[in-house]
Amino acid sequence: MLELAKSKKEGRRSLRLDGLHILYFYHHSDVKREDTNHADAIVVQTDSEFEALETLREVRSDSSRTISLKPVFVSSYTNCGENIRLLFDGTWTEEHPENQLQFIRKITGSLKNLNTEVHELDFRRALSQRICQYLYSRVTTLQPIRTRYVNTGYAYSFISSIFKSSEGLKAIDLLDEMHQDGYLDGQRNEIIQSCNHCSGGYFNYRECCPSCGSPDLQSSDLIHHFVCAHVGPEDTFKKDDRLECPKCDKELRHIGIDYDKPSSMYTCRSCRHQFQNATVKALCVDCGKDNELSMLHTRSIKTYSITAKGEYLAKFGYKGEPAQKTEENSSILNPEIYKLFRKQELLKRQTGSSSPLFEAELTILANVVDRFHVERRKMLQREICSILTHYLEPTDLICSENPYSYTILICNSDTKRAHLTSDVINNNISRLLADGLDIKDQTVKLKLTDISDSNDNA
Amino acid sequence: MPDQLIPEYIQYWLAGGWGKFFRVFWYFAIFEFTRYIIIDYIIAFIHWVKREDYDDRYKAGRQALFSENPLISIIIPGKNEGRHLYKLTKSLEEQTYQNFELIIVDDGSDDDTPIIGQNLEKLGLIDKFIRNEVRGGKASAANLALQYATGKFIVHLDADCSFDRDAIARVVIPFYYDEKIGAVGGNVKVRNYQESLCSSLQAIEYLKTVSVGRIVTSTLGIYKIVSGAFGAFRPEILDKIGGWDIGPGLDGDITVKIRKCG
């Protein structure tokens, strides 16, 4: 029944089973060295966990679809950690390979239907298509798997090979984007919180002093002596093994009859601040930065399944779809175009236009923006731009390169109106940030300059 | 016919004459009239005569207070007072004297007071909000606030009061008149006296017993109740007497104890 054709050359072995060509890899360099295109499946055969992982990564992240989507097995004696399990299709036993062979035939059959012409696509689009092809060929779903190897604490099979362990959130972003585009369906399983600075998902939650932030706290119960109404920390009542009221010198014997403990107080050993409600902060294990709980980045962890649109993408590619998403903020100019318009407006003033020209520099202080996760910073930028467009005239121009700074060109307003507009913008954005972030200090700086007579055309 | 226009009770007294009136109200004429009317007018007259001395003393005390600018601890014990807290903090924000810490003790409230208090603490409108899960009474709540007060003077307030702009300054200035002054009682008035008959009657009672009555007793050196709604204390005196004792009548008790300290 089995047609066996073993060939050994520098540790390589290929196998023909039931008309299928199985290629054996012993080392990750074999992936590049061998001609894998004609193999129907790959078996990673090594007892080294590291070697197995590297080989699987090489296969799965190969730029050629015909290689990266191939069925990959790991020999039964390989020590498989959870990170390896994410990348292979199953374990391989030569004694009873019937199930695996059936599986290989199914996948190779599906792969024949797929469009593998991807050279003109950008990385994200190519990867999206590859994910759809993986799901289509395996007739499976992408399920989140709890793992310590990825910084978010969750990994997905197949795509874990493409992203680094520190890029767990990027993988989630990509899948969510595919969900939004209709290629995948998502069903929420979990919610994770990630660090604002590095997207890490491992935290040390601890109670800190609201005044100085130190976690070196001492908690003490308060005792209320019923008879004399004296209330104080438990320490002040302790006399040897007994409790004695420092006010009336009576011994406190029975809780509920002589005294009770109405509450407790923390004392910070660093700054001696006393308080009842400690601030809980999340210290990121990866980057060591402290995060306020309200500022942690919350994301949904979902199980993704392919949709009809995703299947179409897997089979036929991006036919009829625009190559790039259009920029959402069409009213926001990039610096080059802004400079061009500014120059034109200045020239108009020099050749007789009577209305003054104002330029406003709006700066959001770094300590405000840095509190947000990178993704949220983009949202903040969009939000601020939409506020600006709301208060400005349609003829005014806005330029913003980053969430920290915005340049506004006020073209057709008199001096009074320009100042009024800048005040309104300043007040509204300051209030938005101060109220939303619970910040008492200044959050925004806005400087308005009359540039009508400026010779600076840069 | 004109008799029918006069109310019956006046007709009764007209019929009875002054003799009968005096026989019925002799204690009022002898004791109450002397106590509340004659003495009040005498004290008012003394005040009027000495008004310039009082003014000079007040100005000197005010100058001393504002040059020293000591921290004042405002303590407010209360139960279910959450709805008054924001208004109270706003009233205190308007004070002419601003170097104070605000300590509020929630004595086992069963409404939204803990949430309101903790939010105001986060917003920085309250310096310390202490929550007691179990109610212990006003005295114990005030004593708890006392534990965490660090000011040179302690001002005890009620949460449902609102204050004139210079109320805090005025209540602590007397401490600069004389080092022997251990406690100062504030003048408490009814602000909504026009709202109902009850509030009008309460306003009359406060005017008689608190505004005028306590000025008189203070002048006579027999002041006996520093009101819990608005009173100021030296913390060292409160430490000496162990703070407030269990009520009722805790305001009177503490005043008497302070007087006993000399």
Side-chain angles (χ1 to χ4, degrees), chain A residues 229 231 247 262-263 265 274 276, chain B residues 128 131 133 143 242 244-245:
Chain A
V231 183
K247 180 177 171 184
S263 59
M265 286 292 273
Q274 291 178 310
Q276 273 194 314
Chain B
K128 199 163 266 150
R131 157 84 174 153
E133 291 297 333
N143 287 338
W244 282 265
D245 285 329

Side-chain angles (χ1 to χ4, degrees), chain A residues 222 224-233 236 247 260-265 273-277 438 440, chain B residues 118 121-124 128-134 136 139-140 143-144 147-148 241-246 257:
Chain A
L222 293 172
H224 168 215
H225 186 206
F226 293 147
V227 176
C228 70
H230 181 70
V231 183
T236 59
K247 180 177 171 184
D260 67 356
K261 293 182 175 180
S263 59
S264 61
M265 286 292 273
H273 181 53
Q274 291 178 310
F275 52 92
Q276 273 194 314
N277 299 305
D438 192 15
K440 283 172 232 157
Chain B
Q118 280 157 11
E121 190 183 22
K122 268 187 198 165
L123 290 169
K128 199 163 266 150
F129 180 80
I130 305 170
R131 157 84 174 153
N132 278 346
E133 291 297 333
V134 186
S140 72
N143 287 338
L144 177 57
Q147 286 283 332
Y148 299 100
I241 61 172
W244 282 265
D245 285 329
I246 198 158
K257 280 172 89 176

Side-chain angles (χ1 to χ4, degrees), chain A residues 434-453:
Chain A
D435 292 351
L437 298 174
D438 192 15
I439 300 174
K440 283 172 232 157
D441 305 328
Q442 193 184 10
T443 54
V444 172
K445 277 182 187 168
L446 195 143
K447 190 183 166 196
L448 184 72
T449 320
D450 185 349
I451 56 164
S452 311
D453 301 325

Side-chain angles (χ1 to χ4, degrees), chain A residues 295-353:
Chain A
M295 297 306 290
L296 287 174
H297 189 46
T298 305
R299 292 300 297 266
S300 296
I301 297 290
K302 300 170 189 162
T303 295
Y304 297 93
S305 54
I306 193 165
T307 59
K309 190 179 176 187
E311 284 185 10
Y312 183 87
L313 173 67
K315 283 194 264 188
F316 307 110
Y318 289 95
K319 284 181 183 166
E321 289 192 32
Q324 284 285 334
K325 277 189 174 178
T326 51
E327 189 58 45
E328 286 176 38
N329 267 313
S330 54
S331 58
I332 311 305
L333 304 175
N334 69 41
E336 284 72 30
I337 297 174
Y338 176 82
K339 277 178 193 169
L340 196 70
F341 278 116
R342 185 181 186 272
K343 195 175 170 181
Q344 290 294 322
E345 290 292 335
L346 280 171
L347 281 171
K348 274 190 214 167
R349 299 304 180 282
Q350 283 163 13
T351 54
S353 175

